[in-house]
Amino acid sequence: MKKRILIVNSGGDCPGMNAVIRAIVKRADNDTNWEVIGSINGFDGILKEPLELLLLDEKRVRGIHFEGGTILTTNNKRNPFNFPVKQEDGSIENVDLSDKLFYNIRVLNFDAIIHIGGNESHKISYKLFKKGMNIVGVPKTINNDLSVADYTFGFQTAVQVATEAVDKLVTTANSHSRVLILEVMGRDAGWIALQASIAGGADICLIPEIPFTMNKIVEKLNTRYAINKRGFAIVVVAEGAYLKGKSSEINHRGIARKIANKLRNFNFEADIRETILGHLQRGGTPTAIDRILATELGVKAFELVKEKKFGTMAIHHNTEVLSMPLKEVINKYNKVNLSHNLIKTAKGVGISFGD
Ligand code: F6P
């Protein structure tokens, strides 16, 4: 009988997810006697009635490595321990369906689950592992906020998109002598903002790791308008950035507008506009680097299943592809370390962090 792997992807999508799926299938195909199946829409596919599963053979995954999104579709609201179930009266109640998941995995003869997801997804992976599930994790996040991982796939694509946005904003900011504020994703980490600021040549970079003050922002902006009041400036702000003295309120979209309004209250003379880059950072074709990272992790994840190294995650660490216990990786976030060389580099080229 064939050994069976179930792929579940959950959380937000991320460029490179399809490349991971393809790599798992191709690696399994290169081995003997494996069958790979995908669960549609996160844990939905393996829990709903009727089941919604997709046979992932070599033919199905051919050429998907450069497609954005995920062919399995995904969901960030399908935790099997707290699963939304429609009640008879039409209301939705969250129910623990983990026993049903174990039952379905057993009767369908799955040997293991490979779970592709972000931080929150892998807390679920670990809970399932503790309950006895044969599970291996693959990290995915554009935020690059996963501890111990050098880089997560999807991140470089997001940085590329954000950098191209800065490049475009520079031309129009220059034409109108404006201050243009670009809000990028990253959740509680400033990696996308930091790298796009350096690559795009921003003047100010605001990240959650360095709380800012409006006075310092205005101080830097004034230097940009010092000659004849003409000039322009680009501010890149991470969605989780916040004012010094306030606590971090990860507001997911909106900090750029708040800063623009505050600048207007300072009677800053130049025109100010804000752009929220949003999900453009998550969509579209993964960069070559992200495809490579994703392919490496897919191959490694299959090998971890084959070696029965359950409760682990395939991860890039110190330029190697390794496995790490889920227990060690969850609950730790990879924030920008203030002694990181990129902070020194940014300061070296005159980028202000508003501190
Ligand atoms: O985790 C990736 C991420 O893109 C965050 O940076 C962002 O805040 C969040 O997902 C948005 O998620 P959604 O809009 O899909 O709920």
Side-chain angles (χ1 to χ4, degrees):
M1 206 166 104
K2 285 196 170 183
K3 290 194 179 152
R4 305 185 93 200
I5 295 176
L6 180 73
I7 300 183
V8 178
N9 56 206
S10 64
D13 68 352
C14 173
M17 273 169 117
N18 281 327
V20 177
I21 295 169
R22 172 179 171 273
I24 296 167
V25 173
K26 285 185 87 79
R27 178 62 185 83
D29 207 54
N30 254 341
D31 223 274
T32 41
N33 232 15
W34 289 90
E35 189 168 58
V36 184
I37 313 282
S39 174
I40 299 296
N41 199 24
F43 283 98
D44 234 11
I46 182 71
L47 283 173
K48 71 194 284 195
E49 288 162 21
L51 296 165
E52 219 183 328
L53 302 174
L54 180 68
L55 175 66
L56 296 167
D57 55 11
E58 204 273 334
K59 199 168 156 216
R60 181 61 193 87
V61 300
R62 213 173 277 164
I64 64 169
H65 52 295
F66 53 82
E67 278 177 30
T70 160
I71 58 165
L72 295 176
T73 67
T74 188
N75 203 303
N76 52 14
K77 294 179 184 66
R78 294 290 189 276
N79 176 353
F81 292 97
N82 197 26
F83 202 84
V85 176
K86 202 170 192 173
Q87 306 298 302
E88 274 176 16
D89 64 359
S91 64
I92 303 283
E93 221 173 86
N94 283 353
V95 180
D96 182 352
L97 290 189
S98 57
D99 287 340
K100 183 175 177 182
L101 176 66
F102 275 78
Y103 176 81
N104 286 354
I105 291 291
R106 195 172 58 247
V107 296
L108 293 167
N109 290 317
F110 283 114
D111 294 276
I113 296 180
I114 296 180
H115 189 193
I116 308 166
N119 276 319
E120 296 309 313
S121 302
H122 291 305
K123 288 181 186 159
I124 299 171
S125 303
Y126 183 55
K127 231 173 143 181
L128 287 170
F129 171 66
K130 278 201 302 185
K131 200 174 157 130
M133 185 69 77
N134 293 343
I135 192 162
V136 162
V138 174
K140 67 89 223 164
T141 164
I142 64 162
N143 302 330
N144 201 37
D145 57 359
L146 205 110
S147 76
V148 295
D150 300 338
Y151 283 110
T152 52
F153 68 83
F155 170 66
Q156 286 300 335
T157 308
V159 170
Q160 187 65 31
V161 172
T163 302
E164 283 165 18
V166 173
D167 293 347
K168 287 180 177 154
L169 291 176
V170 163
T171 60
T172 174
N174 194 2
S175 308
H176 288 266
S177 291
R178 280 176 167 161
V179 176
L180 295 182
I181 307 174
L182 177 70
E183 180 174 320
V184 299
M185 284 183 168
R187 210 169 275 261
D188 294 311
W191 292 109
I192 298 175
L194 176 60
Q195 294 213 1
S197 291
I198 295 172
D203 305 291
I204 299 176
C205 170
L206 305 173
I207 58 175
E209 292 84 349
I210 307 179
F212 60 89
T213 70
M214 290 309 297
N215 282 332
K216 287 288 175 187
I217 292 179
V218 171
E219 206 174 278
K220 174 69 185 180
L221 290 179
N222 282 335
T223 68
R224 298 283 302 166
Y225 287 83
I227 303 161
N228 298 333
K229 298 247 177 237
R230 284 203 61 80
F232 74 94
I234 303 293
V235 181
V236 177
V237 56
E239 62 185 352
Y242 59 97
L243 274 168
K244 207 176 210 163
K246 304 259 172 190
S247 55
S248 167
E249 40 150 332
I250 169 72
N251 46 30
H252 299 300
R253 299 183 279 277
I255 184 74
R257 172 151 299 173
K258 283 188 189 163
I259 294 170
N261 287 338
K262 281 186 191 294
L263 277 175
R264 288 183 193 108
N265 290 342
F266 265 73
N267 292 329
F268 194 78
E269 271 179 45
D271 258 357
I272 305 154
R273 298 281 190 275
E274 68 276 353
T275 303
I276 300 181
L277 198 50
H279 294 81
L280 286 172
Q281 292 157 98
R282 257 170 48 183
T285 310
T287 59
I289 290 283
D290 280 342
R291 293 182 214 177
I292 295 166
L293 294 180
T295 305
E296 285 185 292
L297 293 184
V299 168
K300 181 71 179 179
F302 171 83
E303 283 163 3
L304 291 175
V305 169
K306 194 177 166 187
E307 292 159 19
K308 296 192 170 30
K309 290 196 175 152
F310 301 120
T312 61
M313 184 186 274
I315 210 158
H316 287 101
H317 183 57
N318 292 340
T319 68
E320 303 254 350
V321 185
L322 314 167
S323 73
M324 291 260 178
L326 282 168
K327 194 179 175 187
E328 272 179 38
V329 263
I330 57 172
N331 296 325
K332 281 193 209 156
Y333 290 91
N334 174 22
K335 292 195 162 220
V336 178
N337 180 336
L338 299 191
S339 58
H340 196 287
N341 198 47
L342 288 178
I343 296 279
K344 283 187 214 141
T345 302
K347 287 186 176 169
V349 292
I351 296 174
S352 161
F353 288 93
D355 61 331

